[in-house]
Amino acid sequence: MSSLALRGIVREFGHLRVIHGVDLDVAEGEFVVFVGPSGCGKSTLLRIIAGLDQPNGGDVLIDGIRVNDRRAAERGLAMVFQSYALYPHMTVRQNLAFGLENQRLAKAEIDRRIAEAARMLQIEHLLARKPGQLSGGQRQRVAIGRTVTREPGIFLFDEPLSNLDAELRVQMRVELSALHKRLKATMIYVTHDQTEAMTMADRIVVLRGGRVEQAGSPLHLYNHPANRFVAGFIGSPRMNFLEAVAQGGSTIRVDDMPPVPLPAAAETSDGEAVTLGVRPEHLGFVAEDGLPGTVDIVEHMGGESYVYVTLANGARLTLRNPGQTALHSGEPVRIGISGAAHLFSRAEGEPAIAARRPA
Amino acid sequence: MIRFLTRRRGGARADWTDWFSWAYLALGVLVMFGPVLWLVLSSFKTQSALQEFPPSLWPMGQKQVAVPGSDRPLPVFSLPQPDGTSVERVMIRRVGLEGQFIDPADPARHVERARLANVTPVREMHFAIENYIEPLRQFNFARFLGNSLFVTIVATAITLLINAMCAFALSKYEFPGRNGIFLFIISTLMIPITVVLVPAFLIVTGLGLGNSLWGVILPPAATPTGVFLLRQYMLTIPDELMDAARMDHASEWRLFWRIILPLAAPALAVLAIFSVVWRWNDFLWPLIVLNRQENFTLQLGLAAFQGELQTQWHYLLAMTVVTLLPVTLVFAFLQKYITTGIASSGMK
Ligand SMILES: Nc1ncnc2c1ncn2[C@@H]1O[C@H](COP(=O)(O)OP(=O)(O)OP(=O)(O)O)[C@@H](O)[C@H]1O
Ligand SMILES: [Mg+2]
């Protein structure tokens, strides 16, 4: 188990800067998820940590020691690659043993570690097969098994579940979380799927364009997104956004629809143009006032329903309604804010506007 | 086999396309295998049978039998009898237009006489194995064979190794001038071998390798085609595999031996076939480097049968068959390996 620190990591490809000074601390035993849209530099950052790529600036520290000059093998890390990168010409057993043989471990020790990892990941019956004879999920397990046998200080995962079908993905998610609990190992996990991030992470690091937008626990990010990007990225279905104008801090007006009261007053100036963000479960139907609109579609999930509404000004909203609803499409409704609301400034980066302290 | 040959394009009756493709393929087989078949059959003909006209496909020759009192086998003729049948008799002597014949079953009996115009030679299938045995004994062909095997095996091994190393560096490492070096190597393809023959010979003799098998092996060991073939193949091996191996504590050297070479096996097999065929059949370069007979390769040995005044066709053909055998075996063996190699690429 190791800790990791990144200090001002910069990476450029030619003249193109893809990582803009990333600072980060990962504690021992923490499960940290890097999440962000495709091309934001997640893999690049992971490869820099692994030692497969060199940063143009900044330091990588493992257990407080600068490791920039250490080769990948000497950093005590193990990585699961997006394509699994199993050696196609070796059997599963040879795949697991390859790294250990290179370290010149004793035969008995190698056998012990393989047996243990195979039992833990339930791949004992596959040891004699080649990767080409395995299903996607089985390959995934073998790839994870290969890292487990190495007993690394930090596990690195690069979108390991992105090639699996939805059902298997849910299952592997649970297994990975269980593995983390069991090994109590430090893990860094890269994904572009916010659900994976929310369900597995101790801490989520949201990246965009090579910068850290926000880092924190899943619920902290969910409840207190630092800016509009994080708010929109975390949570499913997505947060609703409406262009609005603040009115004295405690009410807000969307176009010329009736003003909506905010659940908590925000630090805005009167007449400031802002973006109102409300999660689907924090919108509700009201008898009067509220935003007028008509129901587009109702999705019945059984335990809950999603109602898609088009407002009078053409904006679309998603509402999550607990339980079942009798609403049907075309029905006129009025919508009010029943839970938390977020206001985002229109300034650069669209940062969240803090709630006004009660006087 | 029968079912395979009579396979049809659906339907109960043979379509005209079936006949057409059958005929086309049969023609192809004939064109491809006809000469080889002729070569193999002719290699068993005696020198006189080869010069017969009209030529026969099978190795036919006049029947000969050993008779007591004569140190070499004597020819057998068929003698017509007054009752219209004919009997087989051995000719022991020839006198003018007549021959003296005896019965091979009972040589002590009386001697028959007959005019040569009335008798016909008895022909039978005769495989002249001596075509193979004689050169191997007399002309040191075993030695040529050994030299050829040595040159082919060692040269192919060296070619595979250094071409693979070069291709590995050119396909998997980023370094300044990489593309320049690659283009340079490829551009040497455009220089005809005849241009470099003399300088290459001077270098070989300068290094003291003249008239030695190493002088044949080393200079053409690195081939631009080989580098190109292997590089293109290695480009398709995913870099993530190399990263994975690096994380697995593999040194770059080990990466090459344990990951790259096994995965490039299909391309290596193709190159091995090319190299074996080319080295085995190579004539010009060994001819220039080697001038003492004990160092000759098979191809040089074969050329020795083709003298200025006469050609010993029977030996030439037999030794050509010997020469063909190893290449055919190598090809048959590696071809199977190529297809399995391509089929079992394991990445998803
Ligand atoms: N070798 C390279 N040369 C040039 N640009 C590169 C190279 N590798 C990555 N990039 C660029 O760096 C940026 C980040 O790439 P990276 O692979 O880290 O993205 P990612 O976040 O992992 O995306 P994904 O979710 O699609 O895997 C991309 O814009 C990519 O085009
Ligand atoms: Mg990636």
Side-chain angles (χ1 to χ4, degrees):
Chain A
M1 243 196 304
S2 305
S3 67
L4 170 83
L6 301 180
R7 297 280 174 261
I9 298 291
V10 171
R11 179 69 173 110
E12 288 160 357
F13 290 109
H15 295 294
L16 181 73
R17 181 172 284 206
V18 297
I19 305 285
H20 302 259
V22 167
D23 293 288
L24 186 72
D25 284 282
V26 177
E28 281 185 16
E30 209 176 5
F31 196 123
V32 172
V33 174
F34 292 175
V35 65
S38 192
C40 68
K42 307 179 295 283
S43 298
T44 309
L45 203 54
L46 205 64
R47 290 172 54 82
I48 288 173
I49 296 172
L52 296 170
D53 199 357
Q54 287 300 318
N56 296 77
D59 294 326
V60 180
L61 294 90
I62 292 177
D63 289 329
I65 300 161
R66 186 174 179 277
V67 293
N68 284 36
D69 305 323
R70 283 203 207 158
R71 292 192 303 119
E74 294 161 352
R75 296 189 183 191
L77 314 178
M79 184 155 164
V80 176
F81 293 84
Q82 189 165 358
S83 65
Y84 313 148
L86 297 176
Y87 313 120
H89 55 297
M90 300 187 194
T91 64
V92 168
R93 176 182 289 282
Q94 289 166 331
N95 262 284
L96 298 183
F98 185 64
L100 306 177
E101 284 166 2
N102 290 341
Q103 284 175 278
R104 302 191 190 289
L105 290 188
K107 181 91 176 59
E109 172 71 4
I110 293 178
D111 288 343
R112 186 189 67 75
R113 289 201 196 179
I114 291 179
E116 198 178 301
R119 188 163 37 76
M120 193 185 304
L121 292 159
Q122 296 159 15
I123 49 173
E124 287 143 310
H125 59 296
L126 306 175
L127 286 176
R129 294 206 205 159
K130 295 252 177 86
Q133 302 163 317
L134 301 179
S135 73
Q138 290 170 332
R139 280 180 216 180
Q140 180 62 66
R141 276 170 218 265
V142 174
I144 294 173
R146 189 166 62 178
T147 58
V148 171
T149 56
R150 298 269 314 280
E151 300 184 353
I154 304 177
F155 287 82
L156 307 175
F157 298 92
D158 191 355
E159 308 209 23
L161 307 187
S162 62
N163 289 314
L164 302 182
D165 61 57
E167 200 172 325
L168 203 54
R169 210 179 293 177
V170 175
Q171 186 192 336
M172 289 304 296
R173 223 156 65 193
V174 175
E175 286 188 22
L176 270 178
S177 296
L179 190 72
H180 176 237
K181 297 251 154 44
R182 181 159 176 182
L183 300 174
K184 299 187 176 59
T186 314
M187 293 187 173
I188 299 178
Y189 185 102
V190 161
T191 179
H192 60 251
D193 178 357
Q194 64 90 30
T195 318
E196 277 175 30
M198 291 294 286
T199 48
M200 292 194 284
D202 291 330
R203 198 145 59 95
I204 297 178
V205 177
V206 181
L207 292 168
R208 174 168 62 157
R211 288 191 180 80
V212 176
E213 293 285 328
Q214 192 178 4
S217 73
L219 287 185
H220 181 80
L221 260 59
Y222 191 81
N223 295 328
H224 306 284
N227 55 40
R228 185 182 159 170
F229 175 77
V230 175
F233 199 84
I234 302 289
S236 170
R238 251 164 70 90
M239 185 185 272
N240 297 293
F241 293 106
L242 289 172
E243 312 286 286
V245 178
Q247 283 189 328
S250 56
T251 51
I252 194 159
R253 177 186 277 278
V254 179
D255 284 349
D256 44 6
M257 288 184 273
V260 191
L262 287 176
E267 289 187 342
T268 49
S269 49
D270 208 9
E272 184 183 351
V274 295
T275 304
L276 170 69
V278 190
R279 298 209 178 269
E281 63 268 34
H282 295 153
L283 288 174
F285 300 107
V286 290
E288 48 203 88
D289 292 336
L291 306 168
T294 44
V295 175
D296 268 343
I297 306 169
V298 183
E299 284 178 359
H300 301 284
M301 299 302 204
E304 57 186 7
S305 342
Y306 297 113
V307 184
Y308 299 89
V309 174
T310 307
L311 292 184
N313 68 346
R316 288 164 163 255
L317 294 180
T318 310
L319 282 82
R320 175 186 278 160
N321 209 28
Q324 303 175 353
T325 173
L327 286 169
H328 53 83
S329 34
E331 201 169 329
V333 286
R334 284 177 172 278
I335 292 164
I337 300 172
S338 58
H342 305 265
L343 290 185
F344 302 99
S345 156
R346 295 278 178 82
E348 168 83 29
E350 304 189 81
I353 297 170
R356 185 178 290 165
R357 294 236 173 75
Chain B
M1 186 71 181
I2 297 291
R3 286 214 14 219
F4 177 75
L5 281 178
T6 55
R7 199 177 283 172
R8 282 190 300 264
R9 181 180 159 260
R13 293 200 43 217
D15 197 49
W16 72 269
T17 49
D18 293 320
W19 291 112
F20 180 77
S21 36
W22 209 90
Y24 178 73
L25 292 176
L27 182 75
V29 169
L30 199 70
V31 169
M32 292 302 204
F33 280 99
V36 180
L37 194 68
W38 182 85
L39 169 72
V40 173
L41 289 176
S42 300
S43 73
F44 287 105
K45 291 180 186 168
T46 58
Q47 194 166 13
S48 53
L50 273 170
Q51 272 145 8
E52 244 169 41
F53 192 88
S56 64
L57 181 64
W58 294 100
M60 297 292 229
Q62 188 165 16
K63 189 175 174 182
Q64 294 182 324
V65 290
V67 184
S70 158
D71 44 355
R72 45 192 188 90
L74 297 173
V76 181
F77 287 84
S78 154
L79 258 64
Q81 298 294 301
D83 57 358
T85 62
S86 59
V87 290
E88 286 190 5
R89 293 289 180 263
V90 179
M91 180 164 84
I92 47 171
R93 201 170 296 114
R94 208 181 134 168
V95 185
L97 291 177
E98 282 197 339
Q100 300 182 347
F101 297 91
I102 55 168
D103 184 354
D106 187 6
R109 242 175 65 186
H110 69 284
V111 173
E112 300 168 39
R113 292 161 180 275
R115 291 184 66 82
L116 282 180
N118 293 340
V119 303
T120 46
V122 173
R123 293 163 61 78
E124 62 167 7
M125 192 97 88
H126 172 72
F127 287 92
I129 312 288
E130 61 275 12
N131 288 354
Y132 286 83
I133 296 165
E134 269 303 293
L136 287 176
R137 189 161 347 122
Q138 189 184 328
F139 296 99
N140 218 354
F141 242 77
R143 168 120 208 181
F144 300 161
L145 190 74
N147 287 343
S148 261
L149 278 176
F150 178 77
V151 167
T152 303
I153 292 172
V154 173
T156 299
I158 295 180
T159 300
L160 289 184
L161 182 67
I162 62 179
N163 283 357
M165 284 185 180
C166 178
F168 176 48
L170 286 176
S171 61
K172 291 294 172 201
Y173 292 108
E174 290 279 351
F175 55 90
R178 180 173 84 155
N179 290 334
I181 291 175
F182 181 59
L183 282 180
F184 177 72
I185 290 176
I186 291 302
S187 63
T188 59
L189 270 177
M190 282 186 271
I191 303 174
I193 180 145
T194 32
V195 173
V196 289
L197 221 46
V198 173
F201 176 72
L202 291 179
I203 291 173
V204 164
T205 33
L207 289 173
L209 292 176
N211 205 16
S212 97
L213 292 179
W214 288 103
V216 178
I217 292 171
L218 291 179
T223 58
T225 19
V227 172
F228 178 72
L229 185 81
L230 291 177
R231 185 194 99 110
Q232 297 313 98
Y233 193 85
M234 286 180 187
L235 283 178
T236 66
I237 298 176
D239 287 343
E240 270 195 355
L241 274 185
M242 313 229 317
D243 286 339
R246 288 196 181 111
M247 303 271 318
D248 266 345
H249 294 257
S251 64
E252 300 298 305
W253 187 241
R254 205 166 154 73
L255 206 88
F256 174 69
W257 283 106
R258 292 291 307 273
I259 308 292
I260 297 294
L261 276 193
L263 289 180
L268 287 173
V270 172
L271 185 60
I273 287 182
F274 280 150
S275 174
V276 165
V277 171
W278 167 55
R279 290 303 196 142
W280 189 259
N281 292 337
D282 195 14
F283 176 70
L284 188 58
W285 182 243
L287 180 71
I288 289 171
V289 175
L290 304 174
N291 44 38
R292 284 225 304 276
Q293 234 212 0
E294 74 255 28
N295 284 336
F296 273 11
T297 59
L298 267 184
Q299 306 299 335
L300 297 185
L302 276 186
F305 287 129
Q306 214 159 3
E308 235 172 285
L309 300 175
Q310 63 149 339
T311 300
Q312 291 168 299
W313 284 109
H314 55 309
Y315 292 156
L316 188 63
L317 292 175
M319 288 304 104
T320 306
V321 171
V322 171
T323 312
L324 278 181
L325 274 181
V327 214
T328 317
L329 286 180
V330 162
F331 193 81
F333 176 72
L334 283 186
Q335 192 193 35
K336 181 161 164 263
Y337 181 66
I338 291 173
T339 40
T340 54
I342 290 169
S344 70
S345 74
M347 292 291 283
K348 49 161 201 199

